[in-house]
């Protein structure tokens, strides 16, 4: 089985990173891939407003390049 | 994953409580969970008209650097930037915790999600058994960042590192989050659990995600 998720870092995905590094996904028969948008695609939240925020969350899921993201 | 968010002020700030942030500029990374945790902390401390926020970068290190330059009175940070802020004399005036929530599209099968949950559950158990060792992960994300210079895993408050084995989101929590977001104009319409949560996939995945032992 393969599953692609959007990038996480420790503050919101320490459990995922440890599971990846310690082979726990592999042990479950899961080929977990972590996808990262190209740097030129990244938008800054500083360009958003409270009612119209700018975020990169879900960008790759929207394009079908990942199946999950953490919101 | 449970995320800790903190409202932080600079070393020379006269603010010691969240109430004292009334009418003062607080930088939030709109669009990210940390920003809404910050907004919740402010909302709990003052009337809505006293909340003054501005948009800020989602990079916590850059927000911390801007705080120290005096560009705003406070900002909301997560680890490793809370530890970095405290190490350099900044002060935490409020903290809160919130759940990270996995959002999946229709391509994710219950079997794959169950395998994901089992692996994450084992990782949560390992981390909770030895948080100090795993605290180093917070530093690996930002190698060479100047705000993290001199910070070691021993500088982290382990009480801010909280992990919970994954479980389905209760409907009342999802509804509350929707309605709270709506109250700030971020969502429109009424909450409909049927369109937001695929309970069949969720139920099947969690039914196959039981992990025994470590």
């Amino acid at each position: 089985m393969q599953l692609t998720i959007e990038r996480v870092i420790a503050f919101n995905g320490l459990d995922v990173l440890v599971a990846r590094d310690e082979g726990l996904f592999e042990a479950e028969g899961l080929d977990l891939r972590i996808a990262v948008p190209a740097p030129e695609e990244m938008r800054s939240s500083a360009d958003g407003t409270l009612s119209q925020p700018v975020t990169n969350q879900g960008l790759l899921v929207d394009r079908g390049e990942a199946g999950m993201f953490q919101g | 994953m449970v995320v800790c968010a903190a409202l932080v002020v600079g070393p020379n700030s006269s603010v010691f409580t969240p109430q004292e942030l009334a009418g003062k500029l607080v930088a939030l990374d709109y669009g990210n969970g940390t920003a809404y945790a910050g907004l919740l902390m402010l909302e709990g401390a003052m009337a809505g008209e006293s909340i003054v926020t501005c948009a800020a970068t989602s990079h916590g290190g850059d927000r911390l650097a801007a705080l120290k330059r005096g560009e705003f009175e406070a900002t909301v940070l997560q680890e490793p930037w809370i530890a970095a802020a405290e190490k350099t004399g900044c002060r935490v005036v409020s903290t809160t915790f919130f759940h990270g929530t996995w959002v999946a599209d229709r391509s994710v099968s219950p079997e794959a999600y169950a395998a994901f949950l089992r692996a994450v559950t084992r990782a949560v158990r390992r981390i909770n058994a030895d948080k100090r060792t795993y605290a180093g992960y917070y530093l690996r994300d930002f190698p060479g960042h100047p705000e993290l210079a001199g910070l070691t895993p021993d500088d982290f408050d382990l009480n801010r590192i909280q992990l919970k084995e994954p479980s389905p989101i209760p409907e009342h929590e999802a509804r509350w989050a929707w309605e709270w977001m709506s109250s700030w104009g971020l969502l429109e319409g009424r909450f409909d659990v049927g369109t937001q949560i695929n309970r069949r996939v969720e139920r099947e995945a969690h039914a196959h995600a039981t992990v025994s032992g470590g």
Side-chain angles (χ1 to χ4, degrees):
Chain A
M1 288 179 292
Q2 187 184 103
L3 177 61
T4 302
I5 63 170
E6 293 190 3
R7 180 175 62 176
V8 293
I9 59 177
F11 90 86
N12 69 348
L14 177 61
D15 44 10
V16 172
L17 298 176
V18 169
R20 178 196 64 187
D21 292 351
E22 300 192 0
L24 301 178
F25 293 116
E26 193 176 11
E28 293 294 340
L30 184 65
D31 176 12
L32 186 87
R33 301 181 179 193
I34 299 179
V36 181
E40 62 271 19
E41 288 186 301
M42 299 293 284
R43 300 174 299 166
S44 173
S45 58
D47 295 331
T49 65
L50 180 56
S51 59
Q52 296 202 322
V54 170
T55 179
N56 297 299
Q57 293 178 5
L59 180 69
L60 299 180
V61 169
D62 285 345
R63 288 211 305 250
E65 296 172 17
M68 296 204 311
F69 71 94
Q70 182 151 198
Chain B
M1 184 79 194
V2 178
V3 180
C4 179
L7 285 172
V8 177
V9 297
N12 300 315
S13 174
S14 62
V15 171
F16 282 80
T17 69
Q19 287 82 358
E20 290 172 320
L21 287 171
K24 293 188 165 69
L25 188 60
V26 180
L28 301 177
D29 53 331
Y30 301 144
N32 296 285
T34 311
Y36 302 121
L39 202 52
L40 265 171
M41 287 188 275
L42 294 172
E43 194 178 43
M46 64 192 73
E49 59 268 25
S50 296
I51 298 174
V52 184
T53 65
C54 65
T57 170
S58 60
H59 193 300
D62 293 345
R63 287 201 305 284
L64 175 57
L67 175 72
K68 290 177 180 176
R69 291 194 300 269
E71 294 181 14
F72 33 76
E73 186 68 32
T75 190
V76 63
L77 297 173
Q78 68 282 73
E79 295 293 12
W81 310 111
I82 306 171
E86 289 187 316
K87 183 113 179 176
T88 54
C90 296
R91 280 183 289 104
V92 170
V93 297
S94 183
T95 58
T96 192
F97 293 86
F98 64 94
H99 284 293
T101 303
W102 284 103
V103 180
D105 72 8
R106 295 176 191 278
S107 72
V108 178
S109 69
E111 294 78 15
Y113 189 44
F116 177 85
L117 293 173
R118 289 194 298 271
V120 167
T121 297
R122 288 199 167 90
V124 168
R125 292 176 184 177
R126 290 185 184 189
I127 298 162
N128 282 336
D130 188 7
K131 287 183 183 177
R132 186 65 70 197
T133 292
Y134 291 106
Y137 269 77
Y138 290 92
L139 300 174
R140 292 186 205 175
D141 288 329
F142 307 97
H145 195 288
E147 293 291 344
L148 299 179
L151 203 67
T152 74
D154 288 337
D155 291 312
F156 286 85
D157 180 342
L158 299 186
N159 292 315
R160 294 193 190 120
I161 301 175
Q162 297 293 336
L163 292 101
K164 177 177 176 288
E165 295 179 16
S167 58
I169 185 169
E171 182 175 336
H172 70 273
E173 284 191 23
R175 181 181 303 279
W176 180 88
W178 179 283
E179 292 175 352
W180 185 82
M181 298 290 274
S182 296
S183 76
W184 284 96
L186 291 154
L187 293 171
E188 292 179 355
R190 295 178 64 82
F191 176 75
D192 176 9
V193 67
T195 60
Q196 298 302 314
I197 305 173
N198 187 327
R199 289 295 194 198
R200 182 189 64 79
V201 173
E202 183 185 65
R203 187 170 51 247
E204 288 181 27
H206 282 276
H208 291 94
T210 303
V211 173
S212 59

